Amino acid sequence: MPDSLRRFKAEIFQALAHPTRIAILELLGAGEASTGELGEKLGIEQANISQHLAVLRSKQLVVNRKAGNQVFYSVRDPILNDVLALMRRYFQNHLQEAYEMLGEMAHAPTESEK
Amino acid sequence: MPDSLRRFKAEIFQALAHPTRIAILELLGAGEASTGELGEKLGIEQANISQHLAVLRSKQLVVNRKAGNQVFYSVRDPILNDVLALMRRYFQNHLQEAYEMLGEMAHAPTESEK
DNA sequence: TTAGAATATTCGAAATTTCGAATGCTCTGT
DNA sequence: ACAGAGCATTCGAAATTTCGAATATTCTAA
């Protein structure tokens, strides 16, 4: 496999590598939603949601549809939902360690605290 | 779903979000390999491979087995292979855009490049 | 046309990631 | 014990990512 393709793949994963963007995609898995709805359900500032949506758009993970004042987003390729579903199984299998890892992180000193 | 879990998920995706680490995991999908073997097959410096393996280890995506002088790595949970396989299908579906996004001439990859 | 709602973009500072270079560690053979 | 092989870690600089604040854009209603 050419390295250029691996770079492309890595960029897709990078787009998935943020809690807010994962949350957005999981919400969109249930059907389309507007920027405002996403922001409200997630309790995140409008500008920030828009920025994350811009990332997902730039990697073509989502598509949008304008309706009057609003913009509705949806997942472009259902395979993405399958990937997220598989990942949910993965997390179920390793929930124990997940919490341990998160617990350690919570106790690890941050750079500014050192 | 709690935000802590989403953060955990995001970290897994982050671990996948590098061309070299994707290449490593794809190689390991065919069976275990030593650090040296991985570095040689990928044409990447020893220290760098070790750094990427450290990332994969820290997120528990791989496990290792010491054998004398060497350390052999393998994928811990086969679900990960399924995720990568699903992603391969995704990339096949969108190869055209992949190449466009990369700003490369669209051409079919040769067998040897796969 | 003007106001306001909904969404997007730009900017800058802080945090994180990446890689090579240098160094450290742990085995094995002699 | 020593040398070398194989692997891991640390350090520092460059690149990238992230978020809030400010500003733009686009659409609708009056």
Side-chain angles (χ1 to χ4, degrees):
Chain A
M1 182 168 100
D3 184 64
S4 56
L5 253 202
R6 277 203 209 100
R7 251 179 279 130
F8 177 70
K9 284 193 191 181
E11 286 184 11
I12 303 294
F13 283 122
Q14 174 62 46
L16 298 174
H18 193 283
T20 298
R21 292 196 293 269
I22 290 176
I24 289 173
L25 290 173
E26 283 178 341
L27 282 179
L28 294 184
E32 69 172 12
S34 70
T35 305
E37 286 168 6
L38 292 171
E40 193 191 353
K41 286 192 181 175
L42 297 177
I44 287 178
E45 292 301 318
Q46 181 270 319
N48 199 358
I49 282 281
S50 251
Q51 286 167 338
H52 285 301
L53 286 170
V55 172
L56 295 174
R57 251 186 297 125
S58 77
K59 300 302 161 43
Q60 319 234 54
L61 267 38
V62 299
V63 290
N64 58 41
R65 164 180 83 82
K66 293 196 174 186
N69 226 1
Q70 297 169 275
V71 180
F72 289 89
Y73 284 85
S74 49
V75 174
R76 188 181 54 148
D77 188 327
I79 287 185
L80 209 54
N81 292 328
D82 298 340
V83 170
L84 290 173
L86 252 192
M87 274 304 200
R88 272 191 286 278
R89 268 191 54 212
Y90 179 90
F91 295 118
Q92 295 236 35
N93 287 1
H94 304 290
L95 256 194
Q96 180 67 31
E97 301 135 33
Y99 277 117
E100 282 167 8
M101 276 179 58
L102 291 167
E104 286 167 18
M105 283 178 37
H107 296 323
T110 65
E111 276 307 307
S112 62
E113 283 170 343
K114 277 186 189 164
Chain B
M1 169 163 163
D3 183 66
S4 57
L5 255 200
R6 277 203 208 101
R7 251 179 279 131
F8 177 70
K9 282 193 193 182
E11 287 185 9
I12 302 295
F13 283 122
Q14 174 61 47
L16 297 174
H18 193 284
T20 298
R21 293 197 290 270
I22 289 175
I24 288 173
L25 290 173
E26 282 178 343
L27 281 179
L28 293 184
E32 68 172 13
S34 70
T35 305
E37 285 167 5
L38 293 170
E40 193 190 354
K41 286 191 182 178
L42 298 177
I44 286 178
E45 291 300 317
Q46 181 269 319
N48 199 359
I49 282 281
S50 252
Q51 288 168 336
H52 285 301
L53 286 170
V55 172
L56 295 174
R57 250 186 298 124
S58 77
K59 302 300 162 42
Q60 318 235 54
L61 298 186
V62 299
V63 291
N64 59 41
R65 164 180 81 82
K66 293 197 177 188
N69 227 1
Q70 297 167 275
V71 180
F72 289 88
Y73 283 86
S74 48
V75 174
R76 189 180 55 148
D77 189 326
I79 287 185
L80 207 55
N81 292 328
D82 298 340
V83 170
L84 290 173
L86 251 193
M87 275 304 200
R88 269 190 289 278
R89 267 192 52 212
Y90 180 89
F91 296 118
Q92 296 236 33
N93 286 1
H94 304 290
L95 255 194
Q96 181 67 29
E97 302 138 32
Y99 277 113
E100 283 167 7
M101 275 180 59
L102 291 165
E104 293 191 7
M105 295 304 94
H107 76 284
T110 66
E111 277 306 309
S112 65
E113 282 174 336
K114 282 182 187 165

